[in-house]
Amino acid sequence: MAPYHLLSSPANALRGDITIPGDKSISHRAIMLGAIAEGITTVNGFLDGEDCLATLRAFQAMGVAIEGPIGQRVVIHGVGKYGLKKPDSVIDCGNSGTTMRLLTGLLAAQSFDTELTGDASLLKRPMDRVSRPLHQMGAEVMTTDGKPPLSIRGGKALQGITYEMPEASAQVKSCLLLAGLYAAGETRIIEPGLTRDHTERMLTAFSYPIQKSDNTVVINAASQCQGTDIIVPGDISSAAFFIVAATLVPGSELFIRNVGMNPTRTGVIQILQKMGADITIINKRLCGEELVADLFVKHAPLEGIDIPAAMVPLAIDEFPVLFVAASCAKGQTLLHGAKELRCKESDRIGVMATGLQALGIEVQTFEDGIFINGGTLQGGVVDSHHDHRIAMAFAVAGSVAQDSVTIKDCANVATSFPTFVKTANDVKLAILEINND
Ligand code: S3P
């Protein structure tokens, strides 16, 4: 990824009809389950961002034949649950926490040893949240002071456990579900709050039985995944940048087609609607095990709100751009119960606060949240801290600011939304890639 900055200038009304690249969470899971399934899996709408490609390459390194992505289509020749091979070298998960945390669960149950590493951001992220419960299952996962690199010892017979997760995390839940595919007895995972359930839905798509009730999911090792055809919906986390941009820029009217509407992911729409956004959900339909819809977004004035803590996991990746929305809203927005934001690709509370203050907004931070006093965004220079969602959130900020905003170090946009700038330009946003010197 060649380094570059983004320059985002005040925009005229957004108009158009766009589609958004495939969902990152679903693309990862399609590769993982396709790789250990019996038979062939085709994936259409695969997100060919760097994060999902890291997952794809990891399975290729473990002997799985994977064709593509060619035009967002991937064909996986599943090797079955016990068919993975020891990779020749360390698996590089790049910037992707999902790759590392989910793979750790799967690899803890294999017959061979593996090592996982990642980029500078991933090396700072907590991994004891997966190594701890995996140890209880009998796995041997060595962290480096609770962080990557990880060293996973193979040949361990895993035992199912009942695990009450201390944090609401779909990555931890999914890690344990993947380990549970191999564990003796039942693996029972209890969530403190609802988190994205793509793994559960994907297991069902692969004909693997699981039991779900309220906040508990139970799996055992008795079955096999069967290869299938997966269609990946557009990523609501990527759509969020355009939903907020169209809401904020006067005169905008934008269609966004084929957006994933999984109820564990739609917090961003509910929060924006509570703030006064004009978002119409059209043509809601099933796409395999997932819900999708088309969205019609019109400019609307926003008002600050207290964001309910229960909404946090349902909008966990959308807070950077929601903070931009709050900065342009009339009145005050308050968020608590979101300390998880501090251990994403960057400290998203600290980094957003610094950037918004640089653009003239009054912000206060707490360990678990933020207070934003809505005002007028000024132009300026901000740092993305190599975090894709921070970069795109400030690109949206530049579209409604009084003057241009330069966002430093944006190459990581390619991890989740490689066509972001092109799509932005298609809807008439004035966002440019500029040389980083
Ligand atoms: C993800 C879960 C979330 C989210 C991440 C993707 C997933 O992380 O922030 O971008 O695909 O399971 P946590 O589970 O750590 O909240």
Side-chain angles (χ1 to χ4, degrees), residues 21 33 58 181 320 331 352:
L33 293 190
L181 291 174
M352 282 305 298

Side-chain angles (χ1 to χ4, degrees), residues 24-25 29 98 101 129 168-171 196 316-317 344:
K24 182 155 79 72
S25 294
R29 286 154 171 85
T98 309
R101 296 203 177 111
R129 55 181 56 197
S169 166
Q171 292 181 348
R196 65 188 68 189
I316 189 70
D317 290 339
K344 294 294 178 189

Side-chain angles (χ1 to χ4, degrees), residues 314-332:
L314 312 182
I316 189 70
D317 290 339
E318 289 69 72
F319 282 105
V321 79
L322 282 170
F323 296 165
V324 172
S327 300
C328 302
K330 183 163 164 269
Q332 304 174 338

Side-chain angles (χ1 to χ4, degrees), residues 205-419:
F206 278 85
S207 308
Y208 200 100
I210 52 161
Q211 295 161 44
K212 266 168 82 171
S213 60
D214 302 331
N215 60 343
T216 303
V217 48
V218 183
I219 196 163
N220 67 51
S223 304
Q224 302 286 335
C225 289
Q226 303 300 332
T228 186
D229 296 330
I230 300 287
I231 301 173
V232 182
D235 198 326
I236 188 169
S237 299
S238 298
F241 301 105
F242 292 96
I243 298 173
V244 171
T247 297
L248 296 181
V249 179
S252 298
E253 289 193 357
L254 185 67
F255 275 103
I256 312 176
R257 306 278 176 191
N258 194 38
V259 180
M261 282 286 118
N262 180 312
T264 62
R265 295 285 299 281
T266 47
V268 61
I269 293 181
Q270 289 159 43
I271 291 169
L272 286 169
Q273 284 175 332
K274 221 166 138 46
M275 296 174 81
D278 186 346
I279 305 166
T280 311
I281 300 170
I282 311 158
N283 194 16
K284 208 166 182 182
R285 55 207 185 266
L286 260 181
C287 171
E289 295 295 324
E290 296 283 351
L291 274 171
V292 301
D294 304 327
L295 304 180
F296 180 56
V297 188
K298 279 168 80 171
H299 164 70
L302 298 183
E303 293 203 359
I305 57 165
D306 284 4
I307 300 174
M311 304 288 302
V312 169
L314 312 182
I316 189 70
D317 290 339
E318 289 69 72
F319 282 105
V321 79
L322 282 170
F323 296 165
V324 172
S327 300
C328 302
K330 183 163 164 269
Q332 304 174 338
T333 295
L334 183 66
L335 173 70
H336 278 293
K339 73 173 190 308
E340 278 294 307
L341 291 178
R342 292 209 179 261
C343 53
K344 294 294 178 189
E345 286 83 330
S346 69
D347 166 1
R348 287 182 175 163
I349 293 175
V351 165
M352 282 305 298
T354 307
L356 290 173
Q357 281 161 345
L359 302 182
I361 300 296
E362 184 197 337
V363 176
Q364 255 178 58
T365 61
F366 318 106
E367 189 45 36
D368 71 338
I370 199 162
F371 163 86
I372 299 172
N373 197 10
T376 304
L377 285 161
Q378 306 300 321
V381 180
V382 298
D383 199 318
S384 79
H385 288 260
H386 305 281
D387 181 333
H388 54 137
R389 300 205 197 278
I390 301 287
M392 291 184 275
F394 279 118
V396 171
S399 305
V400 282
Q402 296 297 296
D403 207 343
S404 298
V405 175
T406 301
I407 309 115
K408 291 168 81 176
D409 291 322
C410 297
N412 270 4
V413 165
T415 59
S416 67
F417 200 162
T419 51

Side-chain angles (χ1 to χ4, degrees), residues 93-174:
C93 302
N95 190 243
S96 175
T98 309
T99 305
M100 183 170 281
R101 296 203 177 111
L102 271 60
L103 268 186
T104 302
L106 189 68
L107 295 177
Q110 303 303 314
S111 59
F112 48 85
D113 298 350
T114 35
E115 282 172 48
L116 301 181
T117 192
D119 71 3
S121 149
L122 189 54
L123 293 181
K124 289 190 206 144
R125 297 181 65 185
M127 293 298 148
D128 42 3
R129 55 181 56 197
V130 291
S131 63
R132 238 184 285 114
L134 288 171
H135 287 159
Q136 288 178 30
M137 295 178 79
E140 215 176 303
V141 176
M142 275 76 74
T143 67
T144 313
D145 289 330
K147 302 195 168 118
L150 304 181
S151 180
I152 303 168
R153 188 68 47 80
K156 301 282 166 187
L158 301 192
Q159 178 66 47
I161 56 168
T162 294
Y163 188 64
E164 280 194 44
M165 295 198 307
E167 61 286 290
S169 166
Q171 292 181 348
V172 175
K173 172 177 64 174
S174 303

